[in-house]
Structures are given as C-alpha cells and as structure tokens.
Amino acid sequence: YKRVLFVFDRIKDGHYPNASTLAKEYEVSTKTIQRDIDFLRNNFDVPIAYDEGKFGYYLTEPTFELPALKLGEGELFAMALAEQVLEQYQNTPVYERLTRIFHKLEKHLPEKASLEANWLWGRFSMVPLPSPAINQEVWQLVFEALHNQRRLRFDYTAPPHQNPVMKVLHPYHIVVHRAQWYIIGEDEGRKAVRIFSLSRISRPKILKETFSLPEDFRLEDYIDPDMGIFMGGETFEASIHFSAKIAPI
C-alpha cells in the first residue's frame, strides 16, 4: 500500500511521471508500477490518464483524493501514541523519514478520525532519554557496511581521549539501548570484538573487502536484558541488600 500511495502522490503532483521514471525512483520494475496504476484504476476508480505529448500520467480530475483509511479506535489510538514515541529518535536521521511516513498516512485519514485523536496531544507526554546526534553520513555508511558485510574504516573518539583513533571494523550487529545507538563488530587492530557508539564515529569509509560473520558470534555475550550493553570476561553473581525503609522504593 505504501508503494501505491507513492505512485498516486507522484501522479497527482502534476509532473507527468511515466512508469519508467516511477520505477527508477522507487527501485522496482516498470511492470510493478503498471500493476499499481491498474490497481488504482480498478479498485479506487482513480481517474488516471496518459498524455502522449508529455509522455506521462496525470489525473483527469486534479482534486481527486483516495478514500480515507479505515482504522478502528484501538488502531487510531496506537498510531497517535506511536507518533509521540518517535520523539526519542529525534537526533537520528531515521526520525525525519518516519515523520514523513506518519504525515503521509495522516493525509489519508478521515477528518473526523484526526480530530478524535487530537485529545491525546494535550493529555499525554513522553520525555525522551537524552540522545546524542548521529551524523547522516555515519548512519548511512554504517548500515550499508552492515548490510553488505563490508569492512568499515572510521575515526573514533572515546572519552576521556580528545584525539580520534582510526579503526577498521567488521560490523556484526547494531544495538539500541537507552536511546544510544551502538555497532558491535571485530576491531581489526585489537583482533577482538568491540562495541562502538555511532555518535562518536567520524569520517567513515566503506572498504572494498568483505568479511564473513563468525559462526561463534553470540549477541547475548554482549547485551543483557537487565544490564544492557557490556564487555567483559567471567561473570559473577552479586547480592545487594537494601534496608526495609528503602526496599519499597
């Protein structure tokens, strides 16, 4: 449905896109776009026509809108709540993209549904955890290297040091913990698995060489549901005793 909305919005913009330009922009085949156009015509009666002179599609009724999405009360509440939860990702490049998606969905909600959800804005607040800003290029190249299993070179500034140190990493896994984004992987210099914060990475570059994820890599060796992210060797059990006065807190 997201792709169908994309096709509809591009045609409605009035720039006369054709199947080839839409397919290239969305990175799908022209046949897929043609099926989407047929779907819009046959299922929603969208007045789409093709202009032979401008080599592109347009709406014969420029003010035509797709039927509103039908959401139940629980679904509408969950959507409104999720938009507030997005605030915790404000300092990440994904925040802007997710916000755009929500705005596109809202465009297809009936006006009554939007008004019914407005009560939540004045009665619910979420205080996001402090989150350091992540550079757009760092974000993009880290995820690209992770996806393609490519070696990643970058400068890393770890406290209390002020001067960055060059690292070459085999990225294994990305973890989000308490609004902080981390990449776990093998540090070639140390020949060991290490954890790096994306907010402290600068000047990233994807290298040509690829790597294989070790069969013995276990994510649970580096994260814990209770303690979060950690590095270390042997683990120990510890007991903490609280006074009767403090224990209820």
Side-chain angles (χ1 to χ4, degrees):
Y1 191 75
K2 178 182 175 183
R3 190 182 63 243
V4 171
L5 288 179
F6 162 82
V7 172
F8 174 79
D9 288 339
R10 286 293 186 273
I11 294 175
K12 185 177 172 62
D13 284 345
H15 297 300
Y16 295 88
N18 55 44
S20 296
T21 57
L22 290 170
K24 183 177 181 180
E25 187 174 356
Y26 207 86
E27 299 182 349
V28 295
S29 68
T30 54
K31 289 184 178 180
T32 297
I33 295 297
Q34 191 59 59
R35 284 196 296 269
D36 291 339
I37 292 173
D38 292 340
F39 177 84
L40 287 167
R41 285 170 169 163
N42 299 330
N43 292 275
F44 296 107
D45 297 321
V46 180
I48 298 175
Y50 187 81
D51 189 308
E52 297 289 347
K54 296 182 179 180
F55 305 102
Y57 293 100
Y58 68 100
L59 295 184
T60 57
E61 300 175 23
T63 59
F64 182 88
E65 293 289 347
L66 285 175
L69 290 174
K70 294 182 180 179
L71 296 179
E73 183 179 353
E75 293 170 324
L76 182 62
F77 177 80
M79 181 177 172
L81 196 63
E83 189 171 8
Q84 290 275 28
V85 174
L86 281 180
E87 295 301 313
Q88 63 182 313
Y89 299 110
Q90 267 195 348
N91 283 330
T92 67
V94 75
Y95 175 76
E96 184 179 345
R97 299 174 189 174
L98 289 173
T99 301
R100 286 202 301 266
I101 291 173
F102 266 93
H103 288 166
K104 286 181 180 179
L105 289 173
E106 288 174 350
K107 285 170 55 179
H108 297 282
L109 287 175
E111 184 177 356
K112 182 176 183 293
S114 299
L115 291 173
E116 288 177 350
N118 283 341
W119 72 268
L120 188 63
W121 309 143
R123 304 291 297 276
F124 172 80
S125 296
M126 178 174 180
V127 180
L129 291 169
S131 175
I134 299 174
N135 178 271
Q136 171 74 42
E137 183 184 26
V138 170
W139 177 279
Q140 179 179 340
L141 294 187
V142 167
F143 273 90
E144 184 177 337
L146 180 77
H147 177 259
N148 296 315
Q149 294 193 182
R150 298 271 293 275
R151 297 165 67 239
L152 181 69
R153 186 178 69 205
F154 55 84
D155 289 343
Y156 192 74
T157 306
H161 309 291
Q162 295 184 350
N163 297 323
V165 177
M166 190 191 76
K167 297 287 185 181
V168 176
L169 183 74
H170 299 181
Y172 292 167
H173 197 94
I174 286 179
V175 178
V176 184
H177 177 62
R178 295 182 179 176
Q180 305 279 344
W181 293 72
Y182 301 91
I183 180 72
I184 302 175
E186 181 185 344
D187 180 342
E188 283 193 1
R190 294 180 176 269
K191 298 187 184 302
V193 174
R194 291 290 184 268
I195 302 174
F196 299 93
S197 171
L198 267 63
S199 63
R200 296 173 183 162
I201 292 177
S202 60
R203 299 177 61 193
K205 181 178 181 180
I206 295 178
L207 304 180
K208 293 182 179 180
E209 299 82 4
T210 60
F211 67 90
S212 297
L213 188 68
E215 293 183 2
D216 59 352
F217 173 72
R218 298 171 66 251
L219 183 62
E220 51 267 32
D221 291 338
Y222 306 97
I223 62 173
D224 181 86
D226 299 317
M227 301 300 295
I229 296 177
F230 65 90
M231 291 287 296
E234 186 179 358
T235 58
F236 301 89
E237 287 191 7
S239 297
I240 301 176
H241 298 271
F242 295 94
S243 68
K245 182 178 179 180
I246 298 297
I249 299 177

